[in-house]
Amino acid sequence: MTVETPDQALVRAAMEQVWESMLYAVAEPWAPGDHPDFRNGLQAQIALTGEWNGELRLTLDGTVAAEIAGAMLGADEDEELPELDVHDAVGEVLNVVGGSVKGALGGATALGLPGVTPVTVAPDHDDCVVVAWRGSPVYVQVVPAAG
Amino acid sequence: MSISRDAFNFVRELVHAESAIVLEPGKEYLVESRLLQLARQAGHDGVDGYVAHLSERRPSAGLRQVVEALTTNETSWFRDVDPFNTLKNTVFPALAANRTDRRLRVWAAACSSGQEPYSIAMTANDTPALAGWKVEILATDLSEEMLTKARAGEYSQLEVNRGMPASSLVRHFTRSGLNWRLNPAITQQVTFRQLNLVRPFPPMGRFDVVFLRNVLIYFDLPTKRDILRRVRQVMAPDGHLFLGAAEMTMGVDDAWERVPAGRSSVYRIREEQRACVPW
Amino acid sequence: MRALVVDDSRAMRRIVGRILTDAGFEVQEAGHGQEALDLLTEHDTPPDLACIDWNMPVMDGLEFVTEVRSRPEWRSITLMMVTTESEQSRIVRALAAGAHEYLIKPFTADALQEKLDLLGLVPLTAGDLA
């Protein structure tokens, strides 16, 4: 069985499910505007290995990350979540998106554990699925393994 | 979080005018939970603001969406669990013992997006007494949109998560991208047709089992009575009627008797009324 | 009733834990399979339910399920996978290993509640939940 690189429509659909069920929001496409500079940004990665090899990489602004974590955990508006919780929530969002994508690919592919760091690689805007969170962009890029 | 009295009253009057369906006080939570998604899609934080906007501007598309959201059943698979256990353990075996033609007919009278009739089909497949039987399921709904979705027999991950036992998911579905598609063995048992319960029923034969769950609650008393009377006319004399957990025939149409089954009940036509039914 | 939530994500433990608490469970948490086994060993009476992620460090959910099912004193625990692993083959594997139910992430609170109904795990009466 040949497994093709996951396409953007699949990634977008997976994000829509996560937004709807975990964040109680509608994942609208982001209306193009100024891309943030991500100086306070976070980046999550999760690896897929097996019949398709590569990773999914999620990039978002730090404030957006905190809001998403708050929505996911049902935190009060003015509750400031510890960094650990924000990182964990962002990682879990990508984990669930990654699991859905992997399941839809078919074939034998394994999902790694998510990692979350400050932004190290600015997202390639043209190559990303960009979904809005309260008007701000959340990027997910499918990055096939080199070779 | 709760809906204001003004907003609830506006929605209540709107839904009654458009569908003859009555939302009693106490249904505030239902109204709020069903409208919240619409409100958010329209850019409002809460239901009150959204309803205020609707009552001021009266956009026809928005008003129709509200009526649809409140008259369409939320659907999970094997909804409430117990009726399907009763079907499998009591009703199907009893009917199987009473029939010689190895054939049963079931009517799902408000099938929405198809979860209920397909759950009935899966239950029939899992009933040992019906091995080798032909179980035909007629599924009807008011909404063509719902019927189109139901006929497709394909559901999202979020939809199959709702009440579907894992063992049924792996046996009766095949993964299709992000979605799950019902196998032909199940979809072939179900026929979908548009039907308005308020109007006279078209010719559709006689049913051994009727599911009329969580739909009567939306109608006023005379309409409920009329629907239950006409359902009797399409039932086999020893047929079984399933209603929603909060519904009953008592005081509405007393030609039915309640039979305790599992943690809930089924309804049968009273012995003395069976002769009155014209075949 | 008591439930054990086994997931390496703090966020997910909090989400699942809250739904179970609302449903009337007393909830304990573990970050991976080994930690969960340790918790089970410490207690005299096992929990009624364990909700288990699949991909976790140290010991994954499938190993944990296999281990629990091999121990007669833990036979009464209802095991439910709650995981993003969603291939048909994975579900079959988990059920074969002894999981009773399987909930795929992402899920809504209603979906988890309905799984509890399927499993007959309803600590509160139906009237309280309606």
PDB file of all heavy atoms in Angstrom, chain B residues 54-65:
ATOM      1  N   LEU B  54     -31.856  38.508  15.746  1.00  0.00           N
ATOM      2  CA  LEU B  54     -32.879  37.878  14.902  1.00  0.00           C
ATOM      3  C   LEU B  54     -34.229  38.586  15.034  1.00  0.00           C
ATOM      4  O   LEU B  54     -34.916  38.822  14.040  1.00  0.00           O
ATOM      5  CB  LEU B  54     -33.066  36.402  15.287  1.00  0.00           C
ATOM      6  CG  LEU B  54     -31.939  35.435  14.960  1.00  0.00           C
ATOM      7  CD1 LEU B  54     -32.294  34.049  15.474  1.00  0.00           C
ATOM      8  CD2 LEU B  54     -31.665  35.380  13.461  1.00  0.00           C
ATOM      9  N   SER B  55     -34.580  38.952  16.260  1.00  0.00           N
ATOM     10  CA  SER B  55     -35.912  39.529  16.445  1.00  0.00           C
ATOM     11  C   SER B  55     -35.954  40.954  15.886  1.00  0.00           C
ATOM     12  O   SER B  55     -36.996  41.423  15.469  1.00  0.00           O
ATOM     13  CB  SER B  55     -36.327  39.487  17.918  1.00  0.00           C
ATOM     14  OG  SER B  55     -35.531  40.365  18.659  1.00  0.00           O
ATOM     15  N   GLU B  56     -34.818  41.610  15.851  1.00  0.00           N
ATOM     16  CA  GLU B  56     -34.762  42.972  15.319  1.00  0.00           C
ATOM     17  C   GLU B  56     -34.765  42.958  13.799  1.00  0.00           C
ATOM     18  O   GLU B  56     -35.535  43.629  13.147  1.00  0.00           O
ATOM     19  CB  GLU B  56     -33.469  43.612  15.819  1.00  0.00           C
ATOM     20  CG  GLU B  56     -33.559  45.077  16.113  1.00  0.00           C
ATOM     21  CD  GLU B  56     -32.294  45.510  16.828  1.00  0.00           C
ATOM     22  OE1 GLU B  56     -32.203  45.288  18.065  1.00  0.00           O
ATOM     23  OE2 GLU B  56     -31.385  45.983  16.135  1.00  0.00           O
ATOM     24  N   ARG B  57     -33.868  42.127  13.228  1.00  0.00           N
ATOM     25  CA  ARG B  57     -33.679  42.156  11.766  1.00  0.00           C
ATOM     26  C   ARG B  57     -34.526  41.129  11.024  1.00  0.00           C
ATOM     27  O   ARG B  57     -34.743  41.244   9.836  1.00  0.00           O
ATOM     28  CB  ARG B  57     -32.205  41.877  11.432  1.00  0.00           C
ATOM     29  CG  ARG B  57     -31.230  42.844  12.078  1.00  0.00           C
ATOM     30  CD  ARG B  57     -31.150  44.130  11.261  1.00  0.00           C
ATOM     31  NE  ARG B  57     -30.186  45.035  11.862  1.00  0.00           N
ATOM     32  CZ  ARG B  57     -28.878  44.974  11.651  1.00  0.00           C
ATOM     33  NH1 ARG B  57     -28.390  44.060  10.832  1.00  0.00           N
ATOM     34  NH2 ARG B  57     -28.063  45.815  12.251  1.00  0.00           N
ATOM     35  N   ARG B  58     -34.923  40.083  11.695  1.00  0.00           N
ATOM     36  CA  ARG B  58     -35.700  38.989  11.126  1.00  0.00           C
ATOM     37  C   ARG B  58     -35.162  38.458   9.789  1.00  0.00           C
ATOM     38  O   ARG B  58     -35.891  38.408   8.795  1.00  0.00           O
ATOM     39  CB  ARG B  58     -37.175  39.391  10.985  1.00  0.00           C
ATOM     40  CG  ARG B  58     -37.761  39.934  12.286  1.00  0.00           C
ATOM     41  CD  ARG B  58     -39.273  39.995  12.279  1.00  0.00           C
ATOM     42  NE  ARG B  58     -39.876  38.675  12.266  1.00  0.00           N
ATOM     43  CZ  ARG B  58     -40.220  38.010  13.361  1.00  0.00           C
ATOM     44  NH1 ARG B  58     -40.019  38.516  14.554  1.00  0.00           N
ATOM     45  NH2 ARG B  58     -40.766  36.820  13.260  1.00  0.00           N
ATOM     46  N   PRO B  59     -33.879  38.095   9.717  1.00  0.00           N
ATOM     47  CA  PRO B  59     -33.345  37.528   8.471  1.00  0.00           C
ATOM     48  C   PRO B  59     -33.961  36.143   8.247  1.00  0.00           C
ATOM     49  O   PRO B  59     -33.960  35.316   9.159  1.00  0.00           O
ATOM     50  CB  PRO B  59     -31.840  37.411   8.752  1.00  0.00           C
ATOM     51  CG  PRO B  59     -31.733  37.312  10.238  1.00  0.00           C
ATOM     52  CD  PRO B  59     -32.915  38.043  10.822  1.00  0.00           C
ATOM     53  N   SER B  60     -34.512  35.907   7.042  1.00  0.00           N
ATOM     54  CA  SER B  60     -35.281  34.682   6.856  1.00  0.00           C
ATOM     55  C   SER B  60     -34.410  33.430   6.985  1.00  0.00           C
ATOM     56  O   SER B  60     -34.831  32.426   7.552  1.00  0.00           O
ATOM     57  CB  SER B  60     -36.013  34.703   5.516  1.00  0.00           C
ATOM     58  OG  SER B  60     -35.075  34.819   4.472  1.00  0.00           O
ATOM     59  N   ALA B  61     -33.171  33.488   6.495  1.00  0.00           N
ATOM     60  CA  ALA B  61     -32.295  32.313   6.592  1.00  0.00           C
ATOM     61  C   ALA B  61     -32.010  31.991   8.054  1.00  0.00           C
ATOM     62  O   ALA B  61     -32.057  30.837   8.475  1.00  0.00           O
ATOM     63  CB  ALA B  61     -30.993  32.556   5.832  1.00  0.00           C
ATOM     64  N   GLY B  62     -31.729  33.018   8.847  1.00  0.00           N
ATOM     65  CA  GLY B  62     -31.422  32.834  10.264  1.00  0.00           C
ATOM     66  C   GLY B  62     -32.608  32.250  11.015  1.00  0.00           C
ATOM     67  O   GLY B  62     -32.464  31.345  11.831  1.00  0.00           O
ATOM     68  N   LEU B  63     -33.806  32.773  10.716  1.00  0.00           N
ATOM     69  CA  LEU B  63     -34.996  32.279  11.404  1.00  0.00           C
ATOM     70  C   LEU B  63     -35.241  30.813  11.059  1.00  0.00           C
ATOM     71  O   LEU B  63     -35.588  30.004  11.918  1.00  0.00           O
ATOM     72  CB  LEU B  63     -36.221  33.123  11.017  1.00  0.00           C
ATOM     73  CG  LEU B  63     -36.169  34.597  11.457  1.00  0.00           C
ATOM     74  CD1 LEU B  63     -37.374  35.352  10.934  1.00  0.00           C
ATOM     75  CD2 LEU B  63     -36.085  34.721  12.970  1.00  0.00           C
ATOM     76  N   ARG B  64     -35.026  30.456   9.778  1.00  0.00           N
ATOM     77  CA  ARG B  64     -35.250  29.074   9.357  1.00  0.00           C
ATOM     78  C   ARG B  64     -34.260  28.137  10.060  1.00  0.00           C
ATOM     79  O   ARG B  64     -34.610  27.063  10.505  1.00  0.00           O
ATOM     80  CB  ARG B  64     -35.120  28.953   7.835  1.00  0.00           C
ATOM     81  CG  ARG B  64     -35.764  27.674   7.295  1.00  0.00           C
ATOM     82  CD  ARG B  64     -35.699  27.592   5.788  1.00  0.00           C
ATOM     83  NE  ARG B  64     -34.340  27.673   5.307  1.00  0.00           N
ATOM     84  CZ  ARG B  64     -33.879  28.623   4.504  1.00  0.00           C
ATOM     85  NH1 ARG B  64     -34.681  29.573   4.076  1.00  0.00           N
ATOM     86  NH2 ARG B  64     -32.615  28.620   4.121  1.00  0.00           N
ATOM     87  N   GLN B  65     -33.011  28.616  10.190  1.00  0.00           N
ATOM     88  CA  GLN B  65     -31.989  27.801  10.870  1.00  0.00           C
ATOM     89  C   GLN B  65     -32.387  27.512  12.313  1.00  0.00           C
ATOM     90  O   GLN B  65     -32.179  26.413  12.813  1.00  0.00           O
ATOM     91  CB  GLN B  65     -30.641  28.532  10.868  1.00  0.00           C
ATOM     92  CG  GLN B  65     -29.900  28.412   9.558  1.00  0.00           C
ATOM     93  CD  GLN B  65     -28.574  29.167   9.625  1.00  0.00           C
ATOM     94  OE1 GLN B  65     -28.472  30.196  10.290  1.00  0.00           O
ATOM     95  NE2 GLN B  65     -27.574  28.653   8.939  1.00  0.00           N
TER      96      GLN B  65
END
